[in-house]
Protein backbone atom coordinates (compact mmCIF):
# COMPACT_ATOMS: atom_id res chain seq x y z
CA UNK A 1 0.00 0.00 0.00
CA UNK A 2 2.81 2.33 0.86
CA UNK A 3 4.65 1.54 -2.40
CA UNK A 4 1.48 2.11 -4.41
CA UNK A 5 0.90 5.45 -2.71
CA UNK A 6 4.52 6.46 -3.35
CA UNK A 7 4.25 5.60 -7.03
CA UNK A 8 1.04 7.64 -7.33
CA UNK A 9 2.66 10.63 -5.60
CA UNK A 10 5.69 10.45 -7.88
CA UNK A 11 3.46 10.21 -10.94
CA UNK A 12 1.37 13.16 -9.77
CA UNK A 13 4.51 15.26 -9.14
CA UNK A 14 5.85 14.41 -12.60
CA UNK A 15 2.59 15.41 -14.29
CA UNK A 16 2.39 18.67 -12.37
CA UNK A 17 6.01 19.53 -13.26
CA UNK A 18 5.38 18.89 -16.95
CA UNK A 19 2.25 21.06 -16.84
CA UNK A 20 4.16 23.95 -15.23
CA UNK A 21 6.96 23.71 -17.76
CA UNK A 22 4.50 23.66 -20.66
CA UNK A 23 2.76 26.76 -19.34
CA UNK A 24 6.04 28.58 -18.90
CA UNK A 25 7.11 27.93 -22.48
CA UNK A 26 3.70 28.35 -24.09
CA UNK A 27 3.48 30.84 -27.03
CA UNK A 28 1.08 33.13 -25.17
CA UNK A 29 3.36 33.43 -22.16
CA UNK A 30 6.43 34.03 -24.34
CA UNK A 31 4.61 36.67 -26.39
CA UNK A 32 3.46 38.52 -23.28
CA UNK A 33 6.96 38.54 -21.81
CA UNK A 34 8.44 39.60 -25.14
CA UNK A 35 6.04 42.51 -25.37
CA UNK A 36 6.98 43.57 -21.86
CA UNK A 37 10.71 43.42 -22.62
CA UNK A 38 10.27 45.21 -25.95
CA UNK A 39 8.22 47.98 -24.35
CA UNK A 40 10.79 48.45 -21.61
CA UNK A 41 13.62 48.57 -24.13
CA UNK A 42 11.74 51.05 -26.31
CA UNK A 43 11.11 53.27 -23.30
CA UNK A 44 14.82 53.31 -22.47
CA UNK A 45 15.76 54.13 -26.08
CA UNK A 46 13.21 56.91 -26.26
CA UNK A 47 14.49 58.42 -23.04
CA UNK A 48 18.11 58.26 -24.14
CA UNK A 49 17.27 59.87 -27.52
CA UNK A 50 15.98 63.08 -25.86
CA UNK A 51 19.00 64.61 -24.09
CA UNK A 52 18.66 67.84 -22.10
CA UNK A 53 18.91 71.07 -24.11
CA UNK A 54 22.49 72.40 -24.28
CA UNK A 55 21.14 75.93 -23.73
CA UNK A 56 18.68 75.41 -20.87
CA UNK A 57 18.42 72.75 -18.19
CA UNK A 58 14.62 72.88 -18.05
CA UNK A 59 13.63 74.78 -21.22
CA UNK A 60 12.35 78.38 -21.54
CA UNK A 61 9.37 79.16 -19.34
CA UNK A 62 6.19 80.77 -20.60
CA UNK A 63 7.10 83.87 -18.62
CA UNK A 64 10.43 84.10 -20.45
CA UNK A 65 8.78 83.64 -23.85
CA UNK A 66 6.28 86.42 -23.12
CA UNK A 67 8.90 88.85 -21.81
CA UNK A 68 11.22 88.09 -24.74
CA UNK A 69 8.41 88.96 -27.17
CA UNK A 70 7.61 92.12 -25.23
CA UNK A 71 11.25 93.20 -25.41
CA UNK A 72 11.17 93.05 -29.20
CA UNK A 73 8.20 95.42 -29.11
CA UNK A 74 9.97 97.75 -26.68
CA UNK A 75 13.04 97.95 -28.93
CA UNK A 76 10.93 98.84 -31.95
CA UNK A 77 8.98 101.37 -29.84
CA UNK A 78 12.23 102.99 -28.69
CA UNK A 79 13.30 103.24 -32.32
CA UNK A 80 10.05 105.01 -33.17
CA UNK A 81 10.46 107.41 -30.27
CA UNK A 82 14.01 108.37 -31.25
CA UNK A 83 12.87 108.87 -34.84
CA UNK A 84 10.07 111.16 -33.68
CA UNK A 85 12.56 113.14 -31.57
CA UNK A 86 14.85 113.42 -34.59
CA UNK A 87 12.04 114.88 -36.67
CA UNK A 88 11.22 117.43 -33.96
CA UNK A 89 14.84 118.50 -33.47
CA UNK A 90 15.25 118.89 -37.23
CA UNK A 91 12.14 121.07 -37.40
CA UNK A 92 13.65 123.29 -34.69
CA UNK A 93 17.00 123.58 -36.52
CA UNK A 94 18.89 121.48 -34.03
CA UNK A 95 20.60 119.49 -36.76
CA UNK A 96 23.24 117.86 -34.56
CA UNK A 97 20.68 116.50 -32.10
CA UNK A 98 18.46 115.44 -35.00
CA UNK A 99 21.33 113.39 -36.44
CA UNK A 100 22.09 111.91 -33.03
CA UNK A 101 18.46 110.85 -32.53
CA UNK A 102 18.31 109.33 -36.00
CA UNK A 103 21.40 107.24 -35.29
CA UNK A 104 19.89 106.09 -31.99
CA UNK A 105 16.67 105.17 -33.80
CA UNK A 106 18.58 102.93 -36.18
CA UNK A 107 20.47 101.38 -33.28
CA UNK A 108 17.28 100.52 -31.39
CA UNK A 109 15.80 98.95 -34.51
CA UNK A 110 19.00 96.94 -34.84
CA UNK A 111 18.53 95.70 -31.29
CA UNK A 112 15.03 94.46 -32.14
CA UNK A 113 16.37 92.61 -35.17
CA UNK A 114 19.09 91.02 -32.99
CA UNK A 115 16.40 89.71 -30.64
CA UNK A 116 14.47 88.29 -33.59
CA UNK A 117 17.57 86.65 -35.06
CA UNK A 118 18.42 85.04 -31.71
CA UNK A 119 14.82 83.87 -31.28
CA UNK A 120 14.87 82.22 -34.70
CA UNK A 121 18.06 80.36 -33.82
CA UNK A 122 16.51 79.11 -30.57
CA UNK A 123 13.07 78.41 -32.06
CA UNK A 124 11.52 80.98 -29.73
CA UNK A 125 8.16 82.00 -31.23
CA UNK A 126 7.97 85.71 -32.08
CA UNK A 127 4.72 87.56 -32.70
CA UNK A 128 5.07 91.21 -33.70
CA UNK A 129 2.80 93.59 -31.83
CA UNK A 130 1.39 97.01 -32.62
CA UNK A 131 3.37 100.08 -31.55
CA UNK A 132 2.06 103.08 -29.64
CA UNK A 133 2.25 106.45 -31.37
CA UNK A 134 5.30 108.25 -29.87
CA UNK A 135 5.35 111.82 -28.58
CA UNK A 136 5.88 114.25 -31.45
CA UNK A 137 6.06 117.72 -29.85
CA UNK A 138 7.98 119.13 -26.90
CA UNK A 139 8.41 122.51 -25.25
CA UNK A 140 12.22 122.45 -25.20
CA UNK A 141 15.24 120.26 -25.96
CA UNK A 142 15.58 119.54 -22.25
CA UNK A 143 12.07 118.03 -22.21
CA UNK A 144 13.06 115.68 -25.02
CA UNK A 145 16.20 114.50 -23.26
CA UNK A 146 14.43 113.94 -19.96
CA UNK A 147 11.76 111.84 -21.65
CA UNK A 148 14.46 109.85 -23.39
CA UNK A 149 16.14 109.16 -20.06
CA UNK A 150 12.86 107.76 -18.74
CA UNK A 151 12.56 105.67 -21.88
CA UNK A 152 16.03 104.18 -21.37
CA UNK A 153 15.37 103.51 -17.69
CA UNK A 154 12.19 101.65 -18.60
CA UNK A 155 14.12 99.64 -21.18
CA UNK A 156 16.76 98.78 -18.59
CA UNK A 157 14.06 97.51 -16.22
CA UNK A 158 12.48 95.46 -19.00
CA UNK A 159 15.78 93.81 -19.91
CA UNK A 160 16.39 92.93 -16.27
CA UNK A 161 12.99 91.22 -16.12
CA UNK A 162 13.89 89.13 -19.16
CA UNK A 163 17.19 88.20 -17.51
CA UNK A 164 15.45 87.27 -14.25
CA UNK A 165 13.01 85.00 -16.10
CA UNK A 166 15.91 83.38 -17.97
CA UNK A 167 17.79 82.86 -14.71
CA UNK A 168 14.80 81.20 -13.05
CA UNK A 169 14.52 78.57 -15.81
CA UNK A 170 18.33 78.32 -16.12
CA UNK A 171 18.40 79.42 -19.76
CA UNK A 172 22.05 80.40 -19.88
CA UNK A 173 22.07 81.13 -23.61
CA UNK A 174 19.51 83.93 -23.14
CA UNK A 175 21.51 85.29 -20.21
CA UNK A 176 24.67 85.39 -22.32
CA UNK A 177 22.79 87.04 -25.17
CA UNK A 178 21.48 89.78 -22.86
CA UNK A 179 24.84 90.74 -21.30
CA UNK A 180 25.92 93.23 -24.01
CA UNK A 181 22.52 94.94 -23.83
CA UNK A 182 22.88 95.45 -20.06
CA UNK A 183 26.21 97.19 -20.58
CA UNK A 184 24.75 99.35 -23.35
CA UNK A 185 22.01 100.46 -20.99
CA UNK A 186 24.56 101.47 -18.36
CA UNK A 187 26.39 103.60 -20.94
CA UNK A 188 23.18 105.03 -22.41
CA UNK A 189 21.78 106.21 -19.08
CA UNK A 190 25.15 107.72 -18.11
CA UNK A 191 25.50 109.55 -21.44
CA UNK A 192 21.98 110.94 -21.41
CA UNK A 193 22.30 112.10 -17.79
CA UNK A 194 25.46 114.02 -18.76
CA UNK A 195 23.70 115.59 -21.75
CA UNK A 196 20.76 116.66 -19.58
CA UNK A 197 23.18 118.36 -17.16
CA UNK A 198 24.71 120.32 -20.05
CA UNK A 199 21.33 121.23 -21.49
CA UNK A 200 20.15 122.45 -18.10
CA UNK A 201 23.22 124.74 -17.86
CA UNK A 202 22.20 126.64 -20.99
CA UNK A 203 20.67 129.43 -18.91
CA UNK A 204 23.96 129.87 -17.03
CA UNK A 205 26.19 129.54 -20.07
CA UNK A 206 24.58 130.94 -23.23
CA UNK A 207 25.70 129.16 -26.37
CA UNK A 208 26.41 125.88 -24.57
CA UNK A 209 23.39 124.21 -26.18
CA UNK A 210 24.60 125.11 -29.68
CA UNK A 211 28.02 123.73 -28.85
CA UNK A 212 26.44 120.53 -27.57
CA UNK A 213 24.34 120.30 -30.72
CA UNK A 214 27.50 120.53 -32.80
CA UNK A 215 29.30 117.88 -30.73
CA UNK A 216 26.38 115.45 -30.93
CA UNK A 217 26.23 115.95 -34.69
CA UNK A 218 29.90 115.07 -35.01
CA UNK A 219 29.44 112.02 -32.79
CA UNK A 220 26.53 110.81 -34.90
CA UNK A 221 28.58 111.30 -38.05
CA UNK A 222 31.49 109.34 -36.63
CA UNK A 223 29.25 106.46 -35.61
CA UNK A 224 27.67 106.41 -39.06
CA UNK A 225 31.15 106.25 -40.57
CA UNK A 226 32.11 103.32 -38.34
CA UNK A 227 28.94 101.41 -39.14
Amino acid sequence: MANSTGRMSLTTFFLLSCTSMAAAFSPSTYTTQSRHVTASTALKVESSSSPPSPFSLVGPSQDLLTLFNDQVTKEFSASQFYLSASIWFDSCDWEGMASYMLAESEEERGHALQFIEFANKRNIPIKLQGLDVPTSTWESPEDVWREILELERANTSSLLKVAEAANQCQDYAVLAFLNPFHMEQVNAESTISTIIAKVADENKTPGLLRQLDHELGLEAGQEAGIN
Side-chain angles (χ1 to χ4, degrees):
M1 184 68 176
N3 291 336
S4 175
T5 303
R7 285 195 298 271
M8 289 181 62
S9 299
L10 181 61
T11 301
T12 301
F13 173 76
F14 178 76
L15 290 174
L16 290 175
S17 297
C18 290
T19 301
S20 300
M21 292 176 65
F25 289 97
S26 67
S28 59
T29 303
Y30 178 75
T31 302
T32 302
Q33 291 176 345
S34 297
R35 282 200 298 264
H36 178 71
V37 172
T38 302
S40 300
T41 304
L43 181 60
K44 291 179 181 178
V45 171
E46 182 179 356
S47 299
S48 62
S49 64
S50 302
S53 169
F55 307 109
S56 173
L57 296 180
V58 296
S61 64
Q62 185 57 52
D63 189 33
L64 174 57
L65 297 178
T66 299
L67 290 170
F68 200 96
N69 263 268
D70 290 345
Q71 189 60 38
V72 173
T73 303
K74 291 182 184 300
E75 299 293 344
F76 276 128
S77 294
S79 176
Q80 289 284 85
F81 187 93
Y82 274 109
L83 180 59
S84 182
S86 176
I87 295 172
W88 184 83
F89 274 124
D90 191 66
S91 68
C92 297
D93 295 327
W94 297 102
E95 296 180 357
M97 294 187 189
S99 297
Y100 182 90
M101 294 295 172
L102 183 60
E104 290 299 311
S105 175
E106 293 174 352
E107 182 175 319
E108 296 296 342
R109 183 176 184 276
H111 290 169
L113 295 179
Q114 284 181 267
F115 270 81
I116 292 174
E117 180 183 11
F118 178 84
N120 288 337
K121 290 179 180 179
R122 285 289 311 280
N123 294 321
I124 295 176
I126 292 293
K127 182 178 181 181
L128 297 180
Q129 304 172 17
L131 304 179
D132 294 333
V133 177
T135 306
S136 58
T137 58
W138 292 268
E139 293 295 326
S140 68
E142 183 177 350
D143 290 340
V144 181
W145 287 106
R146 290 194 180 281
E147 192 164 349
I148 285 175
L149 180 58
E150 292 304 314
L151 173 73
E152 292 294 349
R153 285 174 174 171
N155 200 29
T156 297
S157 176
S158 178
L159 285 166
L160 290 175
K161 290 179 181 178
V162 179
E164 178 62 25
N167 187 57
Q168 288 180 355
C169 65
Q170 297 177 301
D171 197 318
Y172 301 113
V174 171
L175 288 172
F177 169 74
L178 291 174
N179 280 337
F181 293 96
H182 294 316
M183 292 309 303
E184 282 195 33
Q185 288 305 118
V186 171
N187 294 332
E189 290 190 28
S190 176
T191 298
I192 295 172
S193 296
T194 300
I195 292 174
I196 290 175
K198 292 181 178 180
V199 172
D201 284 343
E202 169 66 12
N203 293 331
K204 300 177 182 179
T205 310
L208 182 61
L209 196 56
R210 284 297 173 185
Q211 180 182 346
L212 176 62
D213 182 65
H214 177 70
E215 292 174 355
L216 291 175
L218 291 176
E219 181 178 337
Q222 290 174 354
E223 290 182 0
I226 295 174
N227 297 332

